[in-house]
Amino acid sequence: MQAILTALRSRTTLGPLGETQPAALLPLLGRPLLLGTARWLAASGCGRIDVVLRERPAALAEHLDEATRRLGLRMHLENGRTGNDPGWRRQLGEPASDVLLCPGSLVSQARLDALHDLHQQTGSALTVGLRAPEVSGLSGRWCLDASGRLRETPDARADGLALAGLFLCRADGLTELLADGWEPDEDSLRRAIARGLPVHGVRLDGWLADAREPGGYMAALQAALAGNLVHHQPLAEARTPGIWIAPGARVHPSARLQAPCFIGPGVQVEADAVIGPGTSLEAGCRVERGAELRDTSVFPHTRVGLGTRWEQRWLFPHGELEWQTTPVRARASDDERVLGASWQTPWGERWHGWLDQALAAGLIVASAPLWLLIILAIKLDSPGPAFFTQLRTGQDRRPYRPGQRQGEVFTCFKFRTMRLDAEQQVAALRARNQYRGGTFFKLEQDPRITRVGHFLRRTSLDELPQLLNVLWGDMRLVGNRPLPLYEAAALQEDWQRTRFLAPAGITGLWQISGRSDLSEKERLALDAYYSVTRNFRGDWAILLRTIPALLRRRGAR
């Protein structure tokens, strides 16, 4: 039997991960949920496990690579809707083999013997795992008729059964199931039944919860903290029984930790804070002095305000959710006294910015005569202003929210290198885009560039006025290229948006690696890599390598 774990869609829209990634990738005691699910499937006899992701999150690459090595997982990237017949579906193995479809957000200790045995006995097109809805997040809308076939009831009933999220079928029938955008959920099951497919069900024994619902996630958290989930062990060491502290965490001696609780990597717990039973602090959190938390899950990089009190909550960088209420609703908070101060710039980053501003001021003074010569040359070459201004998207200093811009918008300055009507010609010239209709727009032989403009671009002198942006704090000397608004809006995948975690810069990793000679994906990959690895020493190395890159003029046009 082989298994397919899906992490494509989710109703969960919380936390810095949950805002843009499925619930299967939400962390549980330091690891994404789907890894614990994969361990459970491997222990249950699944000889091969495939994981289907819509995109590969850069922040979880280390965990996914570890799982690939240790568990033999096969990772596949789904391209759009499930019905597009992606290549991974053709790699499922023998047509007669059984395939188990399962959401990566499932947390379980249940045995699969009964599900597999019934599937073999009935020869059904689809066999579904069921259980009583005692775990929060499940509803009892299903029942079995006398022949063991699955039926849906109009309303949830006390004696009804809930879907466990496990669907067993034969590989040769999987294409038909996936044709209409199959997910291991109730909607997909209803469509299968409506098409007349024979669907049988069996009640499973053992613990199970679906973390796509807040109540299911919190039930899994409490069970994992209690040590009842053998496949979801904390990514930390137990310094005292029931208290797990990961490497890199800093806990003030006066802070009180009460078992069971989990302190993730890079977490900072300040003086007089109380971390009560049932609390999990994921990577990069900061609990300020005097704050108290009980039965609370704090998602990565959340800052818990000074002296605040939280119980039975999900906390994420810009809001909170009381998961036991019905209906479950999240409340946003930008009050830095409570939550939402996660984007405050650390002192080391501030010193780095001040040094950049001091260097920019010195360079502006030193290059002032050159500025005057360039301005004069532009004026003599073509009519129009010497400077070109455009709205650009820089660093995202706040957590991403759906519907909002992904970074701070500022006015970017450059020396004008094109004719005045250049912007109006973009639509007519887009067919000649060297990136073949991609996000970025660049022409190898751009007819809009003036004679002086060609020289300025080849020497990169057109970017000198961006020193003013550095002086005003909009940009840094080293960072990712600030994008025009239309290019920034076109970046929709998680790994692409990672670039906005870093500041905009005059020079950067892709500029010293070939500039316009690079493909669009290479540029985006370098931007994302820089965003998650940037540091003070690395920025200075890039700055020094910029000088020979300018002299070689590779990709400058």
Side-chain angles (χ1 to χ4, degrees):
M1 181 172 64
Q2 66 183 89
I4 298 176
L5 279 172
T6 62
L8 301 182
R9 291 191 290 271
S10 173
R11 288 166 285 179
T12 304
T13 56
L14 298 176
L17 295 179
E19 286 173 336
T20 56
Q21 296 183 26
L25 302 182
L26 293 178
L28 182 68
L29 303 187
R31 294 184 178 90
L33 283 164
L34 69 84
L35 294 191
T37 304
R39 292 189 183 94
W40 164 65
L41 291 173
S44 299
C46 292
R48 168 175 172 171
I49 303 174
D50 293 76
V51 177
V52 183
L53 297 165
R54 179 152 291 156
E55 54 208 56
R56 182 179 174 86
L60 296 175
E62 181 180 351
H63 289 297
L64 298 180
D65 290 341
E66 176 190 0
T68 302
R69 293 193 304 270
R70 295 190 177 185
L71 299 176
L73 301 186
R74 293 172 171 84
M75 300 289 178
H76 307 281
L77 294 183
E78 175 66 278
N79 183 17
R81 294 182 65 254
T82 314
N84 287 347
D85 193 23
W88 62 265
R89 200 181 303 161
R90 296 189 293 271
Q91 306 174 20
L92 293 178
E94 295 298 327
S97 63
D98 292 328
V99 179
L100 182 69
L101 295 170
C102 171
S105 56
L106 190 68
V107 183
S108 179
Q109 297 286 92
R111 294 179 59 85
L112 299 179
D113 300 351
L115 181 68
H116 186 264
D117 292 344
L118 179 65
H119 187 70
Q120 294 293 325
Q121 294 169 7
T122 61
S124 178
L126 186 65
T127 306
V128 178
L130 304 167
R131 65 166 296 113
E134 69 271 12
V135 177
S136 178
L138 300 175
S139 59
R141 290 180 173 271
W142 300 88
C143 63
L144 299 174
D145 62 17
S147 64
R149 288 201 175 189
L150 192 65
R151 295 289 182 266
E152 185 178 13
T153 60
D155 300 303
R157 304 184 325 190
D159 60 344
L161 296 174
L163 297 183
L166 297 164
F167 301 83
L168 189 59
C169 65
R170 295 174 66 88
D172 53 9
L174 185 61
T175 300
E176 183 180 359
L177 287 175
L178 297 176
D180 58 355
W182 173 272
E183 286 281 337
D185 57 21
E186 293 189 343
D187 291 338
S188 295
L189 182 58
R190 292 188 186 101
R191 292 195 298 269
I193 294 175
R195 292 204 306 268
L197 292 179
V199 179
H200 287 76
V202 61
R203 178 167 173 166
L204 301 177
D205 295 324
W207 195 91
L208 181 144
D210 190 342
R212 285 179 293 186
E213 297 291 345
Y217 176 89
M218 293 304 293
L221 173 62
Q222 302 303 325
L225 286 173
N228 297 329
L229 299 181
V230 297
H231 304 297
H232 290 270
Q233 296 300 310
L235 188 61
E237 60 175 315
R239 298 188 183 179
T240 58
I243 298 178
W244 290 274
I245 301 180
R250 293 181 294 166
V251 180
H252 195 276
S254 67
R256 288 182 291 160
L257 307 183
Q258 302 171 358
C261 66
F262 169 76
I263 313 296
V267 170
Q268 181 178 350
V269 181
E270 297 184 355
D272 302 321
V274 178
I275 309 302
T279 296
S280 171
L281 305 177
E282 296 292 345
C285 296
R286 178 177 176 181
V287 181
E288 296 187 338
R289 183 172 184 174
E292 295 185 14
L293 302 100
R294 289 180 174 83
D295 292 325
T296 295
S297 178
V298 185
F299 280 70
H301 306 292
T302 301
R303 186 171 179 173
V304 182
L306 188 72
T308 53
R309 306 289 188 270
W310 303 98
E311 187 172 359
Q312 296 181 343
R313 294 289 200 279
W314 277 16
L315 301 182
F316 45 100
H318 61 260
E320 47 108 359
L321 178 145
E322 189 174 358
W323 55 270
Q324 285 197 337
T325 59
T326 303
V328 175
R329 291 179 180 174
R331 289 189 291 270
S333 173
D334 285 339
D335 186 349
E336 64 183 37
R337 297 167 299 177
V338 180
L339 287 171
S342 302
W343 55 81
Q344 289 185 349
T345 307
W347 276 106
E349 188 72 12
R350 295 183 191 182
W351 280 105
H352 193 172
W354 293 336
L355 179 58
D356 279 5
Q357 289 174 311
L359 290 174
L363 289 172
I364 290 172
V365 173
S367 61
L370 181 59
W371 286 49
L372 294 176
L373 289 175
I374 293 174
I375 291 172
L376 180 61
I378 294 174
K379 287 288 189 179
L380 293 175
D381 182 53
S382 62
F387 292 95
F388 170 75
T389 62
Q390 187 181 42
L391 291 179
R392 296 286 182 99
T393 304
Q395 186 176 15
D396 190 356
R397 303 176 195 271
R398 298 192 175 194
Y400 168 74
R401 298 189 191 183
Q404 290 190 351
R405 294 196 186 277
Q406 299 164 355
E408 293 185 354
V409 177
F410 65 95
T411 301
C412 183
F413 292 90
K414 297 181 70 174
F415 283 125
R416 182 174 60 84
T417 59
M418 294 186 177
R419 300 196 302 265
L420 290 179
D421 61 349
E423 290 295 307
Q424 287 72 39
Q425 298 184 42
V426 171
L429 295 172
R430 190 164 290 278
R432 296 169 52 184
N433 185 7
Q434 74 176 57
Y435 293 113
R436 305 295 182 185
T439 300
F440 303 134
F441 179 74
K442 191 81 171 179
L443 303 179
E444 293 187 4
Q445 299 293 331
D446 198 328
R448 303 170 299 166
I449 300 178
T450 63
R451 289 174 299 175
V452 171
H454 278 291
F455 172 77
L456 295 178
R457 290 194 168 213
R458 293 288 294 174
T459 57
S460 298
L461 290 174
D462 61 318
E463 298 181 359
L464 265 181
Q466 292 178 15
L467 290 172
L468 294 173
N469 291 114
V470 177
L471 187 61
W472 294 332
D474 297 326
M475 295 177 60
R476 302 286 283 275
L477 293 178
V478 179
N480 286 329
R481 174 179 175 265
L483 297 183
L485 301 188
Y486 64 89
E487 289 186 357
L491 302 181
Q492 296 296 320
E493 298 184 13
D494 286 348
W495 72 273
Q496 296 172 335
R497 285 195 295 265
T498 302
R499 75 178 311 281
F500 296 110
L501 298 176
I506 297 178
T507 186
L509 195 56
W510 79 270
Q511 286 94 332
I512 64 173
S513 305
R515 300 181 68 174
S516 297
D517 289 345
L518 300 176
S519 69
E520 180 177 292
K521 287 189 176 180
E522 288 173 329
R523 282 183 56 179
L524 288 170
L526 287 173
D527 285 347
Y529 177 78
Y530 171 77
S531 295
V532 298
T533 61
R534 64 180 294 264
N535 55 65
F536 183 80
R537 181 180 298 179
D539 280 4
W540 279 97
I542 291 174
L543 202 59
L544 293 176
R545 290 174 60 189
T546 299
I547 299 174
L550 289 175
L551 296 176
R552 289 196 302 268
R553 300 182 182 180
R554 179 189 168 194
R557 54 179 177 267

